[in-house]
Structure formats: structure tokens, C-alpha cells
Amino acid sequence: MRRLGGRNTLERLARFGYGARGFVYCVVGGLAVLAALGAGGRAGDSRGALRTVFGGPFGPVLVGAIALGLAGFAVWRAVEAVTDADRRGTAPKGLAVRAAHLVSAGIYGGLALTAASLSLGLGMSGGDGMRDWSAWVMARPFGRWLLALIGAAIVGGGFGFLWKAARGDVTERLLLGDTQARWANPIGRFGYAARGIAFLIIGGFLIVAAWYQRSSEVKGLAEAFALLRRQEYGAWLLGLVAAGHVAFGAFGLIQARYRHIDAPDIDEADEAAARAIRDLT
């Protein structure tokens, strides 16, 4: 496919997707900050953020645009994982990152469908997605252990985020000058730290659910915020982690503009995927 303005279709989808994801987390964090301040906000998750945007000016149009962006991000994550567009390689660490990107593709693809349904006036399903799938997992043979393994993987991802916040190079894939990197770096570190804390709590919920074999123990970001709020100095803890989610969203907007994206052309993606599969075998 011919490049337009030096960018192909997949790259445009990826940048739109980073922007949409960033906007959603800015809303998630902003609402939680208001809740911590007692200013009328509600500490919720991405679905709650979509409802808030939907209820505002031009809500259906904005949520529809978010749906398109999240769908693009899901496509990019899948392509990124299968074709190894970021050159992660086939070492254990690289394969783990690529596997996480595949999981991310599924999560954001589902959120895109939720946003599209809301934008079209179909509303959101009444069930709890995390509890529904965890109940399905536990109903399978060895499902309890599989759920515990998923929870442990999420906890591991949380520690990975925290390590990246403390010691990693969060701007390594951003095409930034020294001055730009100086202000983007602390935003990214703060955002990754907040996501790491959230992952630790959510993964812990999954492990507890597996231990007690009760899907009702499975909880998401909204409940993670609520747990922080119930601790001593809870308003401060919630405010700090909420502000970190705003930073994570802002960093997503920075990624939308400055991230290096080596996306294959659509008509070359199947060839790139075939090469990656051959490398794995």
C-alpha cells in the first residue's frame, strides 16, 4: 500500500489508538482525582469513563471516535506481537512482551466493542465482564489454577511496570529531543508506577478469587481505587494513584505523536507474520 505523508495505514491506526487509549485514561484518572478530593467524581474504570464521555457534549460522536481508535490500537497490538514490529526477538523476555501485547489486543478490542455499542445507542451489557470470564475459566478443568496463574502474570506485569518506572527507559521508543525527553520522562515514570500499583491489586484479586474459588472476588480498576480509598490516608493514596493514571493517559498522547512505529504495509503484514512464525519454529 502506498504511504501517505510517509505513514502507512497501520501506523495511522496505531497513532490514533495510542491517542484514544490516552484520552480514556486521562478521563479515568481525572474522575478518580475528583473522587479523592470529594469534588463529586467517581473512581471507576474504562467503562465508567466511556459513560461519562457519552453523557457530555457530543458524547455519541466522541465515544464513536474512541471506539475506532481503540479498535485501531487492538489491531496494532496484534500486528506488533505477531510480526515482531518492535524487534523484541524470540528470547524469553521478548516472547513475554509479545504475548502481553496479544492479551492487550483482546482487552482493547473488547473495550472498542463496548464503546461502539454505547455510541450506537445499544448501551452496555449488564454483566461484569471480569467476573463473567473468571467464572468461565474456573468452570474449566484446572480452571482454579489457571485463574491463579493469570493473576500471578498480572502481578508480574505490575512489578514490570514498577521496574520500568524506577529503572527503565520509558522514552526509549520515542523520537524526542533532549529538552522534550526531560519533561516526557517524569510523566511516563509516574504513569507506569500508577499502572503498576493497579496491576498488583487487580492480580491479587484474581489470586484471592482462585484461592476461594469464588468469581465474586474478582475485581477491576474501580475496586482497586476503592481499596486504596479505604486505607489510612486513603484520600491521599487514591489521589496519588489517580493522578498517576492521568499521567499515564498523557503519556499515551505523547506516544501518539512521538513513538517510533515501524508498521509493515497492510499488503506486507502477512509476509511479516509468516517470517515471525518461522523464527519461532
Side-chain angles (χ1 to χ4, degrees):
M1 177 172 292
R2 182 174 65 86
R3 289 180 179 268
L4 299 176
R7 297 176 181 174
N8 64 20
T9 302
L10 282 176
E11 182 179 349
R12 291 178 182 275
L13 283 174
R15 294 195 185 283
F16 189 24
Y18 277 112
R21 186 185 69 157
F23 178 76
V24 168
Y25 278 109
C26 282
V27 175
V28 168
L31 291 173
V33 167
L34 290 176
L37 295 173
R42 182 177 182 275
D45 55 11
S46 300
R47 290 163 61 93
L50 291 174
R51 290 191 185 95
T52 299
V53 174
F54 184 78
F58 308 106
V61 175
L62 288 176
V63 173
I66 290 171
L68 290 174
L70 293 175
F73 187 74
V75 169
W76 164 242
R77 277 299 200 219
V79 171
E80 188 180 21
V82 174
T83 68
D84 195 18
D86 274 343
R87 308 294 188 269
R88 303 282 183 179
T90 56
K93 180 181 178 181
L95 291 177
V97 172
R98 291 166 67 183
H101 286 169
L102 276 179
V103 174
S104 176
I107 291 172
Y108 286 106
L111 188 58
L113 288 175
T114 297
S117 176
L118 183 62
S119 176
L120 294 172
L122 302 178
M124 292 185 178
S125 59
D128 186 306
M130 287 193 68
R131 291 197 180 104
D132 290 345
W133 73 256
S134 62
W136 182 87
V137 169
M138 281 195 289
R140 310 276 77 77
F142 305 105
R144 173 187 182 185
W145 302 106
L146 178 57
L147 189 65
L149 183 62
I150 294 171
I154 293 175
V155 169
F159 281 117
F161 275 132
L162 290 174
W163 182 91
K164 189 165 186 176
R167 303 293 298 275
D169 184 359
V170 298
T171 61
E172 63 177 331
R173 297 184 185 276
L174 301 181
L175 303 177
L176 297 173
D178 291 340
T179 301
Q180 295 168 318
R182 276 198 293 271
W183 56 260
N185 188 62
I187 294 174
R189 291 188 186 282
F190 188 23
Y192 278 113
R195 288 299 287 162
I197 292 170
F199 269 49
L200 291 180
I201 296 173
I202 293 170
F205 285 148
L206 287 173
I207 293 172
V208 169
W211 179 266
Y212 290 108
Q213 301 186 62
R214 291 200 300 264
S215 61
S216 60
E217 298 292 337
V218 174
K219 298 176 176 66
L221 183 59
E223 290 83 3
F225 282 148
L227 179 65
L228 291 170
R229 186 67 178 86
R230 291 195 296 270
Q231 306 310 305
E232 188 175 4
Y233 305 108
W236 289 98
L237 285 173
L238 174 59
L240 187 64
V241 175
H245 278 74
V246 175
F248 186 77
F251 194 69
L253 299 178
I254 294 170
Q255 289 174 305
R257 174 64 179 86
Y258 293 107
R259 194 184 194 279
H260 172 71
I261 298 175
D262 188 14
D265 287 331
I266 289 178
D267 55 1
E268 297 174 355
D270 54 348
E271 181 181 345
R275 285 198 303 270
I277 292 172
R278 285 197 298 270
D279 290 340
L280 291 173
T281 58

